[in-house]
Amino acid sequence: MNDNTLGFGEKTAYSVGALGKNMAYMMSASYTLYYYQDVLGVSAVAMGVILLVARIIDAFYDPVIGVFVAKTRSRWGRFLPWLLTGTLINALMLFLLFSAPPSLDGSGLIAYAAVFYTLFSMTYTMMDIPYWSMIPAFTKGGKEREKLTSSARSFAGIGSVVIMSFTLVTVTAIGKLVKGSSASVKVIERTGFRYFALIVSAILIVLMLITCSVAREKSTVDMKRATVREMFRALFQNDQAITMVVVIILVNMATYIMSNLLIYFFKYDIGGEGWKGNYTIYNTFVGIVNIFTMMILFRFLRRFFSMRGVFHIAIISAVIGYSSLLYCSIMGVKSVYLYLVPGFFTMTAVGLMNVLNTVFLANTVDYGQLKNGRRDESVIFSMQTFVIKLASGVAALLASFGLQFFGISKMGKEGENPAKLSDGSLMGLRLTITVIPIIVILLSCLIYRKKYILSDERMEEITAELNKKTEENNMIL
């Protein structure tokens, strides 16, 4: 490993790329279902199937991209060529995803959604895998790795805040500006989403260009290039990487079930003419909590707790958050400000998990190097990309079936003041958004406790062993 540590400029330039990248991803993950189902009228079940099938395609595509990235050799390193190319194409796909032609309807609209959502997912992989793969490639582990991960995740959190807080109000404002206030809600939102997607695409390109122009991978182990078969063998021989893949799937499923249905919760459960404003207030608050957690709280907790201890704190916080959300909704709470309490606990858990999962997965790269003799950053981080998208796809499918089963997909698509759901439909929505995530998050904790062995002490031992081997190899040379 290179002894040089990352400078402030490199760290910041690397991190701002996550802001734009996460804006693009969160727009896709949080609003594709709403755009095609509520705005354009596509069947909720059809959209759920599309979102899941796109993730299954990624099951074959993501690891292959990981292998290609790992085998890339260029004057700019392994990662930057993919990062730049993937960003440019992905920005175009995001714009097209939210620019469905007005002439399309029925099966044509379903086909359009399927094609461009799949293309968005595939091109997102082209930049996401090399982006996160750079962390173990130019950090020495330990605190340096945790700080860079925390910084990048914090900027990603800012991207999430922008999208979750301002998308609906900005879409409405842009739509009214272009089409006029007298246009229907559907026309306003359709137009607004198109131009807002264009803005987000431009931001993505600009910020990732900053990352590509300044950030450079500083160190990587010069080893024999592995064949595709050898790299996949190394991945599946890395039991800790596989464990973290499963944990990340479950953690993100819980998060995306809630994020997919949250807009419907505010629209139909809290309801009222000001539901968009309440939705904005809530998302702004929890977004700030998310950023605070990744930038400050995580580092504060690490002064007193091990990584395993912080993981358990995140689990407890998630259970408290989902449980209190269920309690407030059952008690008929309508004030958005009271919902900030469960929002605080759930988003604290999400923020902690975002940092923990990336650090844990990066640690498995060191573990795999010691065990298998190779640093398979791209292959292992391709699994992070895939499992997060798989989790969001499964969550979207569950959400879409919930919308269909509870009759929510048929409700008030045109009105600013949506029709009231039946008590049974409301209860189904509440249970889906809270109880299912609790079950999933507890299952992830069980697997983590039983299978993950890379404690702080064990990672110090691994780092020392790798440094010793590096010194020995240098002496031989």
Side-chain angles (χ1 to χ4, degrees):
M1 293 269 184
N2 194 312
D3 291 332
N4 296 329
T5 58
L6 292 176
F8 176 79
E10 290 174 305
K11 189 184 302 181
T12 303
Y14 176 83
S15 298
V16 296
L19 192 157
K21 191 171 68 67
N22 220 50
M23 285 181 66
Y25 182 75
M26 288 305 295
M27 186 170 180
S28 168
S30 299
Y31 292 102
T32 298
L33 180 60
Y34 180 81
Y35 173 73
Y36 282 96
Q37 194 264 313
D38 261 46
V39 178
L40 303 188
V42 177
S43 162
V45 173
M47 283 308 303
V49 172
I50 288 172
L51 298 180
L52 181 60
V53 169
R55 303 315 190 196
I56 294 175
I57 293 174
D58 281 341
F60 300 94
Y61 178 75
D62 286 13
V64 172
I65 289 295
V67 171
F68 286 161
V69 172
K71 295 174 76 67
T72 297
R73 295 294 184 272
S74 76
R75 58 182 295 187
W76 302 281
R78 284 180 288 172
F79 307 120
L80 291 184
W82 288 91
L83 194 57
L84 179 59
T85 304
T87 295
L88 295 175
I89 301 175
N90 186 250
L92 175 61
M93 293 303 106
L94 177 68
F95 173 69
L96 293 175
L97 178 62
F98 288 94
S99 302
S103 59
L104 292 179
D105 58 12
S107 58
L109 195 55
I110 292 175
Y112 184 92
V115 169
F116 285 102
Y117 184 76
T118 302
L119 289 176
F120 172 85
S121 298
M122 295 174 70
T123 55
Y124 183 83
T125 296
M126 291 175 63
M127 66 172 176
D128 191 61
I129 290 175
Y131 182 84
W132 294 113
S133 296
M134 292 178 76
I135 290 181
F138 64 15
T139 61
K140 296 184 291 184
K143 295 298 181 181
E144 183 184 54
R145 181 172 296 170
E146 290 180 22
K147 288 180 180 179
L148 182 63
T149 301
S150 176
S151 175
R153 286 298 183 184
S154 297
F155 274 87
I158 295 173
S160 296
V161 172
V162 172
I163 294 301
M164 297 302 294
S165 299
F166 301 112
T167 294
L168 287 183
V169 293
T170 305
V171 161
T172 300
I174 293 175
K176 288 181 178 180
L177 181 65
V178 175
K179 293 296 183 179
S181 300
S182 60
S184 68
V185 174
K186 183 179 291 188
V187 170
I188 288 173
E189 289 192 330
R190 183 171 194 155
T191 303
F193 268 110
R194 182 173 186 268
Y195 284 98
F196 187 66
L198 180 61
I199 293 171
V200 173
S201 297
I203 293 173
L204 166 63
I205 293 173
V206 171
L207 294 182
M208 199 59 78
L209 283 175
I210 295 175
T211 297
C212 292
S213 64
V214 178
R216 292 290 185 270
E217 53 192 277
K218 289 193 133 190
S219 62
T220 186
V221 179
D222 187 14
M223 295 183 176
K224 177 185 176 182
R225 299 185 192 184
T227 65
V228 173
R229 178 179 298 180
E230 287 173 338
M231 297 191 80
F232 275 103
R233 184 184 300 123
L235 172 65
F236 288 104
Q237 287 175 347
N238 191 329
D239 57 295
Q240 295 304 288
I242 297 299
T243 296
M244 283 314 304
V245 163
V246 175
V247 171
I248 292 172
I249 287 176
L250 295 173
V251 167
N252 281 276
M253 273 186 60
T255 300
Y256 285 115
I257 286 173
M258 183 175 182
S259 67
N260 273 288
L261 291 175
L262 189 64
I263 189 171
Y264 298 97
F265 179 80
F266 274 87
K267 187 174 183 178
Y268 297 112
D269 201 331
I270 297 179
E273 294 183 2
W275 75 271
K276 288 184 179 180
N278 289 335
Y279 182 73
T280 299
I281 291 172
Y282 177 89
N283 280 306
T284 301
F285 173 78
V286 299
I288 293 172
V289 171
N290 187 26
I291 296 169
F292 170 80
T293 299
M294 292 186 289
M295 292 186 67
I296 300 175
L297 183 59
F298 172 78
R299 296 181 185 181
F300 175 79
L301 291 175
R302 281 291 284 138
R303 295 172 60 184
F304 306 98
F305 299 95
S306 65
M307 294 289 281
R308 184 177 292 269
V310 176
F311 181 89
H312 290 147
I313 291 173
I315 295 294
I316 294 171
S317 182
V319 172
I320 292 174
Y322 292 124
S323 299
S324 57
L325 176 62
L326 178 61
Y327 176 79
C328 288
S329 61
I330 290 177
M331 296 303 294
V333 173
K334 296 300 180 182
S335 171
V336 66
Y337 297 103
L338 292 179
Y339 282 103
L340 300 185
V341 175
F344 171 83
F345 285 103
T346 54
M347 199 51 61
T348 295
V350 170
L352 292 176
M353 286 296 188
N354 281 340
V355 180
L356 287 168
N357 288 341
T358 302
V359 174
F360 286 153
L361 203 58
N363 288 344
T364 69
V365 174
D366 291 342
Y367 171 81
Q369 180 186 346
L370 187 64
K371 183 177 181 180
N372 302 316
R374 279 192 304 274
R375 291 186 63 81
D376 300 310
E377 299 107 328
S378 299
V379 175
I380 289 177
F381 273 87
S382 71
M383 297 306 297
Q384 175 182 250
T385 304
F386 162 61
V387 299
I388 289 177
K389 291 192 291 185
L390 175 63
S392 68
V394 173
L397 182 66
L398 292 175
S400 65
F401 276 113
L403 294 176
Q404 193 78 20
F405 183 78
F406 298 121
I408 299 173
S409 62
K410 301 177 182 179
M411 302 296 292
K413 296 179 181 178
E414 282 286 336
E416 285 288 344
N417 190 9
K420 181 177 175 58
L421 288 177
S422 66
D423 291 340
S425 294
L426 282 178
M427 184 56 68
L429 176 61
R430 294 163 181 167
L431 293 176
T432 304
I433 207 173
T434 56
V435 175
I436 294 178
I438 288 175
I439 294 173
V440 172
I441 205 78
L442 289 177
L443 180 58
S444 73
C445 182
L446 178 64
I447 295 173
Y448 171 83
R449 287 176 58 86
K450 286 186 172 295
K451 298 294 184 180
Y452 192 73
I453 64 172
L454 300 182
S455 63
D456 292 353
E457 295 77 15
R458 179 56 182 145
M459 284 309 304
E460 290 179 1
E461 295 173 359
I462 290 175
T463 300
E465 291 181 55
L466 291 177
N467 288 338
K468 182 179 179 181
K469 287 190 174 184
T470 300
E471 292 175 0
E472 292 173 351
N473 290 335
N474 290 337
M475 291 179 63
I476 294 174
L477 294 175

